[in-house]
Amino acid sequence: MTATDAGGAVAARASNVWKVYGTGEAQVVALRDVSVEFGSGRFTAIMGPSGSGKSTLMHCLAGLDAVSRGQVHVGDTQVTGLGDKALTRLRRDRVGFIFQQFNLLPTLSAQENIRLPLDIAGRKPDPQWWDTVIATVGLTDRLAHRPSQLSGGQQQRVACARALIGRPDVIFADEPTGNLDSRSGAEVLSFLRSSVREHGQTIVMVTHDPVAAAYADRVVFLADGEIVTELSDPTAETVLDTMKKLDSTELVH
Amino acid sequence: MLRATLKSLLARKLRLILSGLAVVLGVMFVSGAFVVTDTLSRSFDAVFATAYSQTDVAVSAQPKIAVDEMEGEQVATPLPADVVARTRAVDGVAEATGLVSADGARVVGSDGKVLNSFGPPRLGGNWTGTDDLLELRAGRGPQAADEIVVNQTVADGAGLAVGDRVGVLTLEPKKDFTLVGIFGYSGGRDSLGGVQEVLFTEPVAQRLMLGRAGVYSEISVRAADGVTPEQLRDRVGSALGAGYVVKTGDQLAEENAADLQEGLGFFNNILLGFAGVALFVGIFLILNTFSIIVAQRTRELALMRAIGGSRGQMIGSVLVEAVVIGLVAAVLGLAAGVGAGAGLAYLFTSFAGGLDLAPIGVPPAAVLSAFVVGVLVTVVAAVLPALRAARIPPVAAMQDVATPDRPLTRLTVAGAVIGAAGAATLGVGLYGDSGGATLTLILSGVLVSFIGIALLTPLVSRPVVSALGRLFSWSLPGRLGRLNSGRNPRRTAITAAALMVGIALVTGVTVVMDSAKSSLAQQAEDNVKAQIVIGGEQNGPRPPTFDPEVLRRAAAIPGVRAAAGVWNDQVVIDGERAWVNATDDLARLADAYGATAASGTLATLRPDQVAVSTEEATERGWALGDRLTVQTARGDPRPYTIVATYDPATLPGSMLLPAAATAEFGIPQPLTGFVRLADGATVDQVLPRVKALVADSPEVSAMDRSAFVAQQTGDFDTIITMVQILLALAILIAVLGVVNTLALSVLERTRELGLLRAVGLGRAQTMRMVTVEAVVISVFGALLGVVVGAGMGAAVVRALDGEGITDLVLPWQRMATYLVLAGLVGVIAAILPAIRAARLNVLAAISHE
Ligand SMILES: Nc1ncnc2c1ncn2[C@@H]1O[C@H](COP(=O)(O)OP(=O)(O)O)[C@@H](O)[C@H]1O
Ligand SMILES: [Mg+2]
């Protein structure tokens, strides 16, 4: 199925994307003709069982990995076929990342980590936006600390701020709360949601936690490398229901 | 346990290859030195055997002064012709030929310059016809007084052909001859071991090479059938009586070979010394590698402890690894050493000419040293990491291993103690009076100091590295690189310390040499009034000389106030050998120098008078009016009376003999001439005229005083260059260490690199980041080296204050060059790791464990 996002501009788009790993016997089809759009200013969650291709899809969308077939766009830039220089610039200027873990450079302070994408690009942060971001992440008194002096939740919030500071077209987050306890997770998720609601940021987040997915505006479900269904304005219950339904259809297969 | 060790060894190939390479290079140097000296010595054995192949027994007169091979050529005492006749009359003698053969026949090449010799003598002798050894290649033998033949090596070197007019310098100033023939030796040799040979007719050879008609330097005797050389030697010996040296050809070949062996042994020791430095540096690299390996294997080792492995087994597992690397490196190093030794020997023989390369051999010393050195070095380097491995607690298996920032206190205390011990040893060596142990004390002092400083380096590394890094902090990659270089102070420190050793030695030598140069220049400036000096650069085993007539004519040039020459030779004074000077006229020499007597008067010396320096007088307990006996190379012992003493800084040498003595010197011509101008005369007016006078003395030139000082101190620059070349290997090994450290950093920080690339760091920026880290480490090492080297050099210079090195010169320019070069080295060392970092697959890097 093709998942389109209701109305508005498209921040990222995959069209008939295939991703195949390996050859012959060892061949794994991680993405099977996936087409999906992510609307600008929306918070989308990607869900699905482990191994369903969530991370692969995200990596392809973000220009971290090349697709086997099909096309990927960020905004109106075609990502497929870009060289390393252009991809680097795309990641630097137009895409933000939050990984499950190991998001920060241990040698840099929280503040320096947040500025990192701007420093790489040789840009100065917009002071007003800087203050806003720092205030929303709530790290004002921790800015001079090194990652090793921060809790896991604080580290992830620094990572969020880092992703946000350059106002990228889209932020990709791969299980950003996967390593956090539920309270820290909730903080990070509220922060992500508020940056969408209040600042119009586009976020695509991979998760397998229904509660986390409920923070999103929309949930896209993947199974076996294919998009199987999607939900708008999800709640934890509707997400859980859909998952159960999918599980039972899996069983039917 | 052993299998587990070997498995983990294979798993860490790359790291081990790099540190193994350091050992391989060091071992290569060691075994190469043995192979080259062994091969050369056997090649020379063959040359000497050939040279004496036509001689069953040789007779010579007891030399007046026995000179060591290392100190130059011995002057033969002439044998009168009747000794040849008496030898010929001995029963069992088939043939006795009087030979003239002496060092000092210098051929002027077609370019007008004297043909150089890098060591072998330049023999002049009499033509005795061809035989089984000597073969004419072109022309004929000399028949007239102005005809000569030369060997092929001379003809090739000087660019001569039969029929050319050739200038030859001998005991007498330059004379011109017609080249009538070119000869070689049996077996197609162009020379015997690079020896240049010029043959004259017999009377000419006697006059020019021995200084007297009707005498020979040696008699070559052939035995009649049925008489062995040994029998003949004994018969000739008893027939001639005392005062003669009678030896068989084999004996002489062996003695010559033994002399040469001594020279080669000296050369070998120098090579081994530098190999030692390279290996010492290699220890740092291996130490670093093993520390890293142990750190990376912490969990694995802890697990082994947890399941019952003992501490001993932990130590064993690391040491076995070291032994295996040492053995493999020794084998490879030995192979490389044999190759390098063969290459060097080949280069040497093709350079020397006339030397057939003996088959390359691998002497037992090479094999033994390769294995001892290879294994010892790796094991010594692995001891500390092994002990650390033993201290890993079993619980570490369960813990997340962060690289703990262990305090540096113990290291610093140890470093301070060892450094102080090293400095103290060095101090005793330099300033104390420890006789024969001095060199050992100095060397071990330097070595121990290096170890102490290396231990102190981690402490210094934090502030210095961060200060150095600030130079690069203007860009983000630079800042990240700087931060990275400060992350592991121990590793950075050891890497830098390895580089320090080589740079410190080079800097130290440079400081001493430059100080010596400047001191000499200063002393010349202060003490020599003569504005023009005649002298030349060493071009062979005997020093350059010129026609003494030049001095007389120079004195006659208008505007010249005084001109005098200085002769130099080894003599025996009251039974003790000494190097002394002589002058044609002490009064003029004193005038040319502007010297005054400390006691007595510096007037023209009579043939039985001598002047000595106050220092020499004090040392030997001499006073004005004392008498002493001097034996020169060619004359009889003669009595002299001390008529003057002088400050050694104001006149050359410890003793000045009168003009009459110079005729009996081994080298009866002046080495240096001093010309002092009259008031009002200028160098520009007089110099061209003096230059014109020395036109026929091609070994020397006339120049102003500063040019002369520069020429005389040129050797110091040569020494610096040699040391730089020989230390290049140690520095190369240190660079391998930088590469190793960087490769490791890149590997350890794979995830960080992935993250950086994911958030938009470009490939070029990634490479810059790695390069800055390398440059910071290298420059840090060089900075340490320059500081430590300057310190050590200054200590040596201070200690040599009494020996005439009075100026301390810090070669800022060279030191700056070393720093810049170190930066460059860092850039080069970073190339591969940087490329590797830039090529990382972003996704794979992020998910790297
Ligand atoms: N580098 C790779 N090489 C081979 N197979 C891979 C690779 N990365 C992912 N896969 C496979 O692709 C499929 C999808 O993986 P992934 O996108 O990581 O799933 P998810 O994130 O949904 O758990 C899985 O079957 C996985 O084994
Ligand atoms: Mg995943």
Side-chain angles (χ1 to χ4, degrees), chain B residues 237-252:
Chain B
S238 54
L240 292 180
Y244 298 95
V245 181
V246 184
K247 286 178 175 161
T248 65
D250 290 349
Q251 256 179 317
L252 286 169

Side-chain angles (χ1 to χ4, degrees), chain A residues 21-22 28 30 49-57:
Chain A
Y21 289 110
V28 177
S50 178
S52 56
K54 305 182 294 289
S55 298
T56 305
L57 175 59

Side-chain angles (χ1 to χ4, degrees), chain A residues 59 64-65 84 88 91-92 97 99 101-108 112 116-117 119-121 146 162, chain B residues 476 479-480 483-484 487 751-763 765 841-843 846 849:
Chain A
H59 294 152
L64 283 174
D65 206 352
D84 182 72
T88 302
R91 292 198 298 263
R92 192 183 77 190
F97 284 101
F99 300 104
Q101 54 181 349
F102 207 80
N103 266 303
L104 306 178
L105 284 191
T107 42
L108 300 183
E112 289 168 323
L116 189 60
D119 282 345
I120 290 175
R146 308 251 150 183
R162 201 240 352 257
Chain B
L476 178 80
R479 207 166 78 230
L480 291 172
L483 289 172
N484 283 341
R487 277 169 90 165
R751 284 213 295 193
E752 269 175 66
L753 285 165
L755 176 69
L756 278 166
R757 296 276 288 131
V759 298
L761 194 72
R763 283 201 166 134
Q765 288 175 308
N841 177 298
V842 181
L843 265 186
I846 291 173
E849 275 301 326

